[in-house]
Each structure stands twice: as structure tokens, then as C-alpha cells.
Amino acid sequence: MFDAGYICKKIYKAVYLVRLIGKSLDPVAYIHIKAGRGAFVEANELYEQFAKIKWNTPLSTADLEISLDESLAENVLKIEFVEDFFDDETGRTNKYPVHEEDSVIVF
């Protein structure tokens, strides 16, 4: 059963832990996620629910970037990595992997 609130809380927790453990205070720009077809069809609901959850939190700047991955089961989301904002001075952006045990969400 698809529960956008539950899924978004799992995404938030996984990303928050990465930032906490990495002791990074840089704002998160994107959370890159691969989705099976069933999850991808519900992407708009995930965007809306995540916007509510992240409001006024350390992840308030983060946006979900969800793309279809036909190799995943319909009821699976996989958090690929977390990305900071582009740094104009260095010309790069930092990317952080999510812990493997937190990266796959099955619903």
C-alpha cells in the first residue's frame, strides 16, 4: 500500500542521518531517488508530502529528484545520493551516499 507520509518520513530520516553523521551544515539541494513504476506514478504525492515534512527543518532547502528505474520493483524507491548546492567558488558540488540499510524503501 502506498503511504506518502510514511515514505517521506523514511526519506527524511535517511538524509538527516547522513547530514548528522557527516557533520555537514551545508544546505541540501537535492535528494536523488530512483523509483519503480508504481512509486514513480505517485511522485507528485511524494513531492507534496515531503514539502510538508521538511518545512522549517534543517532539510527545508532539499528537493526530491525522482526518476523512473524500470529495473526496480513497482513498490520500491532507492535513495541514490544527497547533493549540496553548486559552489561557484570551487566549481563543484558535494554528493553524499545514503547508508545502504536506509537507501531502499519498500512499501
Side-chain angles (χ1 to χ4, degrees):
M1 179 178 150
F2 186 84
D3 181 345
Y6 168 79
I7 294 167
C8 288
K9 285 177 187 173
K10 302 252 320 161
I11 293 168
Y12 185 93
K13 177 186 167 211
V15 173
Y16 189 78
L17 285 173
V18 167
R19 303 309 281 189
L20 191 63
I21 291 169
K23 297 182 176 141
S24 174
L25 299 176
D26 295 336
V28 173
Y30 298 103
I31 301 166
H32 295 270
I33 299 172
K34 299 285 185 183
R37 182 160 299 283
F40 187 71
V41 168
E42 302 291 344
N44 285 338
E45 192 173 342
L46 290 173
Y47 291 130
E48 290 172 13
Q49 190 65 37
F50 192 76
K52 292 176 187 176
I53 289 172
K54 73 175 185 171
W55 180 255
N56 206 22
T57 73
L59 297 180
S60 63
T61 58
D63 284 322
L64 300 179
E65 193 278 323
I66 303 171
S67 58
L68 177 63
D69 184 339
E70 295 281 356
S71 70
L72 293 174
E74 284 213 17
N75 63 335
V76 173
L77 288 168
K78 184 170 192 315
I79 305 170
E80 294 285 290
F81 60 92
V82 177
E83 183 177 9
D84 290 342
F85 286 95
F86 182 78
D87 185 340
D88 289 333
E89 291 181 20
T90 64
R92 62 175 221 221
T93 184
N94 293 322
K95 297 177 182 177
Y96 306 91
V98 172
H99 296 108
E100 191 172 332
E101 62 272 7
D102 295 328
S103 68
V104 177
I105 301 169
V106 180
F107 57 90

